[in-house]
Amino acid sequence: MKKYVALFGSCMFLVAFFSMYLMLDQLNLHGSLRSRVSMEMGQTELDFIKDKMENLENDIHHNQQIIDEIRNSVKQIIGGENMSKYIPVQRNMAPLVEEVPDSPVQAKIETGDCSFVERQGEHSDDVQMLDVLDILPFDNPDGGVWKQGFDIRYTERDWDNQPLKVFVVPHSHNDPGWIKTVDRYYLDQTQHILNNMVDKLKVDSRRKFIWAEISFFSMWWDNIDAEKKDAVKKLVENGQLEIVTGGWVMSDEAITHYYAMIDQMIEGHEWIKRNLGIKPRSGWAIDPFGHSPTMAYLLKRMGLQNMVVQRVHYSVKKQLAKEKQLEFMWRQNWDHGASSDMLCHMMPFYSYDVPHTCGPDPKVCCQFDFKRLPGGRVNCPWKVPPVPISDNNVAERAKLLLDQYRKKSKLYRSNIVLIPLGDDFRYDKAIEWDQQYGNYQKLFDYMNSQNWHVEAQFGTLSDYFDAMWDRAGLQPGSPGLGYPVLSGDFFSYADREDHYWSGYYTSRPFYKNLDRVLEAHARAAEIIFSLALAHSRHIDVPSFPAKNAYQMLIGARKSLGLFQHHDAITGTAKDFVVVDYGTRLLRSIMDMKRVMIDSAHFLMSEDKSQYDPETTTTFFDMDEKRINHDALPEKPILQLSQQTKEVVFYNSVAQARHEVVRLRVSSSTVEVQDASGKVIPSQTNLVWTAAQDSSTTEYELVFIVNVPPLGLSKYLIRDAGSEVNNPYNAPSQVTLYNTGSPESSVRGVFHISRPISDNRDFTIENSRLRAKFSGTTGLLQSVTTVKDGKETAMSVEFLMYGTRETKKDKSGAYLFLPDGEAKTLDTNGKAVIRVIRGKILSEVHVLMKHVEHVITLHRSPGIDGWSLEISNVVDIRDQRNRELCMRLKTDIKNSNQFFSDLNGFQMQRRKTLSKLPLQANYYPMSTMAYLQDQDTRMTIHTAQSLGVGSLQEGWLEVMLDRRLNQDDNRGLQQGLLDNKRTPNQFRLLLERRHQRTSSPNGGGGKQTGVDYPSLTSHSVSQLLNHPVYAFIRNKLPGEGPAGDVKLSGSVQPLVKALPCDIHFVNLRTVQAMDAPAPTQESVLLLHRKGFDCSFPANGLSCSTTGGKVQLEDLFRDLDLTDIKATSLSLMYDGQVLNSKSTLQLDPMEINAYRIRLD
Ligand SMILES: [Zn+2]
């Protein structure tokens, strides 16, 4: 009997193959038939079938082998079960010209919404950083005592008319994690610094101090008594203690995303408001490794008036110093007016320590760091130690110090000079306070008593800036200071020689990825929690676990905030500190899943009054699990049966999503229904367990979901078992190359072919794009836009950089110091290639030694059908001093220019300069980078921050991982050897301009730093950064087979989708003043994105409205009251609005509103 079954199966299979072949032959011969099916999908599918038939032809030569193979596999599979289930014929032959919806859509753009971008020529500035980089020779001559600068001269009479005002600002730079964990630093140093501060500032009201990191300050606050808290408040009130910036941390500025930058500032500023009742006025960023204008913008819109930056390329500092431009109004590249102008003070010298802050000569300045008095643990490397100030030496010492102050002041315009007095973790011992404050007071008293036209004193940072505004006769923060206007950014940073800090853009990429995973989870959880909470109030269901969930949200805000620290997300902390951060990130990711599950459960319940959060198993599972902070995510398997299983999808963006989702399921024959019960197309794929082996218990299920803006949609999935009459579900077809075996085979419903001729190029395609791959390497060669038939060369390569051979100065956590050009990984013809073709998506897998590289093309009507997805899993743990990059080589004529984003907020023009070393031409990329010419733009979108460069015309490369065996002498004292198997994900978007631009890369006229992604590109970025989340319904104990809780088909919290160019940044429930509990107030953050209209807005079904949002169109079934515009971190409230008001957003701006939703 068994034998008969096997033979019958094999015969059916072959009969079907041949009849399909003949049918196709006919299709090709008869044009009329062909045209009937050649609408978008048809054409694609035909080519696909042709490809398949070619493979079949090969296979026919081996038909005997196939028959044997089939016979064997059918025998194995059947094992006595019902045979019909396993006859693959009908499944393989399911109609392939099928009902995947595929009508192209385009956004409707309101006339006028393109004019902002087109008017970019109006921007005016005095200093454009791109010009500065063009002009500078980067020759690094010896400047004398100020090694990287020049000799500064003055005459004693310079201050006859206006005395020199000196503000000495004591500070202590506390890293929330670096060489020690944040907790260890707190215990060992920070708590003592802050305790000493209270004691020592009380001694003399002329003493001042500034503090930046609220993460540490809040830890200390929780450990001190009420009396001490009162003492601190007094110090704040009388101006002795100033909180500067007031963020949770002093965040990195290169690789952070603006969501997290804002969030950690809100967390800090809200803490300050609740506990100290003040508003920070000045920003203080002395240690981040390069500076971004995004930070200036955010501080401005938060209501701060001034800011200080420090780590800027030494040649840039010198140039700005020469022109007296170290203090400037920092204007956004995209700002047509002056509303973004932020007063910025750039520190002139090498470092923020005392030897490099009192004046140009570190040998002199070091003598005025009284912690370095002989007998202490630190000394002066310039070999002249400080001496205590006495009546005998004060005249000489004061004169020597004043000389430095005067020289430093000559680099600025105001006759007021800022002298920071501190270093890392300073003032932790009581004696240091006495040494510094005591000796300096003697010096000030003496200076001020002489006829030297100087007024020296301790000051806070705002004391310094206030004096400056005051001398100009202006209110702080008002226009009219008359300082030069500067636009652009300060990357990449070099502190000496050719030591560019461009390695950290990529260091510890695993955690840069994990950071973005938490960011996406946190944002999605904040929004769905706020909605669920408001609805629970609206219908008065108190059982929603608001307080518990809110505490998890607070925890996640803090974990995410902490990781924005400039030694955390940068990958520049000790291994065990990285583990500490990773553990916190993972815990918060799990907490955010729980918040989303509880909120989705509540919102989806048809009868919310029956909502019960006290379930022993959670109501939903999410479709991704991580067992450890350094493990790759795993997908749980949906155990399917004939009974349908409910899966709910959540879209956290405010435009509808129509895109492909993937789940793991226990069956290869599946039926998917939407909430109305309509069966929808789906595809099943094998799950690979080794190069050629696949699981027999686990399959990938792929289908297209429709999820409303900020909403939830339910889908039903079941095992279709032996039902052969299911044309909507089709298994993918697999072709394996480079396996060394020409045999084809059948695995269950899947057919696997292994063509003999391995080296022919092949394609995968949908109705928009055709991607061509090398048959030898499996790597992408070119992409053709189907509509116009234009092909753009786009080859993918993987390469390795080495590091310098010299004994000192090799690459490390901070520095990228390559040994020359990168060398191509030689995988030619060796890597196993898998090509998977299906009706919803097609994929090419290339299994190289250090990279598992997958390119996917979706046949989706949504935005995901317009770009290629690239997923890599990188593993370089067997390497020594190597850095792995992925390079795209195109024929785009971008000259020497490309564009990379800053913090996901704005694009910055980059020029690859041949006068600079390779490592100087690497830049940070948080969300995207692109190359363009008159006709074409290629954008690479990323799901995590990494370093990027365009080293030759047409090239764009991304650094993927770095393994470095040594320290690079910036204090970390270790290499980077804790590499993991690291995932990274990109999307490649190829766009054709529908209006030719004469000079897309500048050229002629004044160059600007600004450029804009298309609307499509913005949406592609959202795919990666705000994924659709899946919730899998669990069966609860005691529930009947269908479950007791009825779920809605969908939840649509918005009346209308937001306009395409408006991003719903967050809906963040505000914390109560006196408890870690939610209030009825939320802050709504909206960002109107600038976009380039010269590209079609493909794949979008939304429209633009000139930046108008009707409040009535926002939240469905909720009362919206108490609406007020507010500053970005909620410190200053503005215009009061009502529920009928229209919000008006300007391009590029992020706006915040306080709202009450019940
Ligand atoms: Zn630091």
Side-chain angles (χ1 to χ4, degrees), residues 962-1020:
R962 329 178 61 223
R963 185 170 179 85
L964 298 162
N965 291 59
Q966 61 283 313
D967 185 50
D968 52 4
N969 301 314
R970 296 302 185 280
L972 179 59
Q973 297 182 330
Q974 66 153 73
L976 290 181
L977 293 167
D978 59 348
N979 307 66
K980 331 277 177 214
R981 289 189 75 217
T982 297
N984 52 62
Q985 211 188 357
F986 307 98
R987 272 185 174 268
L988 266 187
L989 177 67
L990 180 66
E991 294 176 289
R992 310 287 185 203
R993 280 178 209 278
H994 53 202
Q995 54 211 65
R996 245 176 166 234
T997 318
S998 54
S999 55
N1001 297 312
K1006 190 170 159 57
Q1007 67 178 342
T1008 63
V1010 72
D1011 211 71
Y1012 300 88
S1014 66
L1015 269 183
T1016 301
S1017 184
H1018 280 306
S1019 294
V1020 169

Side-chain angles (χ1 to χ4, degrees), residues 108 166 241 356 416 428 588 593 608 617 726 751 773 794 829 854 1033 1045 1056 1067 1108 1111:
K108 290 184 216 53
V166 180
L241 170 62
H356 298 94
I416 305 170
D428 61 335
S588 290
K593 286 185 193 294
K608 295 185 173 53
T617 39
N726 173 15
H751 179 259
F773 296 81
M794 208 180 277
V854 177
R1033 173 83 184 262
V1045 180
K1056 254 188 179 176
L1067 181 64
K1108 288 185 177 56
L1111 282 173

Side-chain angles (χ1 to χ4, degrees), residues 173-175 178 250 287-289 352 424 565-567:
H173 179 69
N174 281 233
D175 292 308
W178 181 40
M250 184 184 290
D287 202 21
F289 322 142
Y352 55 79
D424 293 358
H565 164 53
H566 57 262
D567 291 307

Side-chain angles (χ1 to χ4, degrees), residues 28 46 894:
N28 281 332
L46 268 181
N894 62 305

